[in-house]
């Protein structure tokens, strides 16, 4: 189980993504604006951030800039989830070290979940997989 910070200002999307990530066994913290997101990042650093770019109070790019100033926060993987799909926005996000830039309208919650799994520590990827799922009946690893 991973601790994920979901930064999204749309209540419908927040509920949809939070429910989907929790169904997979992850703990989801939610911030509906940039100010809350920064406070949460500093108080309870997550293992991954799913970040919208267009946010009230402090925008997503400003959050990325602040994260880069902190040795501990800049190590946290960030996946941007936004309706901004311009090349300029994607390049700017990549310059801040963002792992993926996903356009909301082009990705289902399941596709987003599959993308973020790539950036979670291996032992936290899914709480639904038994710990010995890769072992044969006699307890030996599968080839």
């Amino acid at each position: 189980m991973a601790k994920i910070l979901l930064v999204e200002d749309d209540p419908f999307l927040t509920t949809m993504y939070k429910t989907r990530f929790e169904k997979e066994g992850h703990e989801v913290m939610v911030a509906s604006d940039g100010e809350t997101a920064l406070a949460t990042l500093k108080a309870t650093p997550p293992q991954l951030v799913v970040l919208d770019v267009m946010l009230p109070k402090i925008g997503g790019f400003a959050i990325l800039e602040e994260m880069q100033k902190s040795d501990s926060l800049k190590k946290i993987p960030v996946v941007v989830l936004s309706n901004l799909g311009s090349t300029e926005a994607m390049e700017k996000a990549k310059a801040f070290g963002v792992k993926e830039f996903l356009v909301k309208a082009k990705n289902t919650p399941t596709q987003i979940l599959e993308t973020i799994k790539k950036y979670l520590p291996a032992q936290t990827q899914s709480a639904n997989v038994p710990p010995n799922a890769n072992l044969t009946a006699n307890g030996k690893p599968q080839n």
Side-chain angles (χ1 to χ4, degrees), residues 22-139:
E22 287 176 340
K23 184 178 175 185
E24 193 71 15
H26 301 297
E27 178 185 343
V28 182
M29 302 178 292
V30 174
S32 60
D33 62 69
E35 194 173 89
T36 303
L38 281 175
T40 303
L41 276 165
K42 293 173 183 173
T44 314
Q47 292 170 295
L48 181 126
V49 177
V50 177
L51 178 66
D52 190 2
V53 174
M54 303 300 291
L55 295 165
K57 299 184 182 177
I58 300 172
F61 290 120
I63 292 170
L64 292 169
E65 188 174 344
E66 286 299 312
M67 289 179 73
Q68 289 302 307
K69 294 177 184 176
S70 165
D71 287 337
S72 60
L73 295 181
K74 71 181 174 186
K75 295 175 186 171
I76 300 170
V78 177
V79 173
V80 168
L81 182 58
S82 181
N83 277 325
L84 281 181
S86 71
T87 303
E88 180 184 335
M90 291 179 187
E91 288 175 1
K92 187 173 182 180
K94 292 287 184 182
F96 282 115
V98 166
K99 299 296 184 188
E100 301 268 352
F101 193 110
L102 304 175
V103 177
K104 293 176 189 176
K106 296 181 180 179
N107 290 275
T108 66
T110 299
Q111 289 170 317
I112 293 163
L113 180 63
E114 291 305 313
T115 299
I116 68 173
K117 280 182 183 181
K118 297 189 290 189
Y119 304 103
L120 295 173
Q123 70 273 18
T124 65
Q125 288 190 11
S126 176
N128 296 330
V129 177
N132 296 326
N134 293 326
L135 300 179
T136 62
N138 64 5

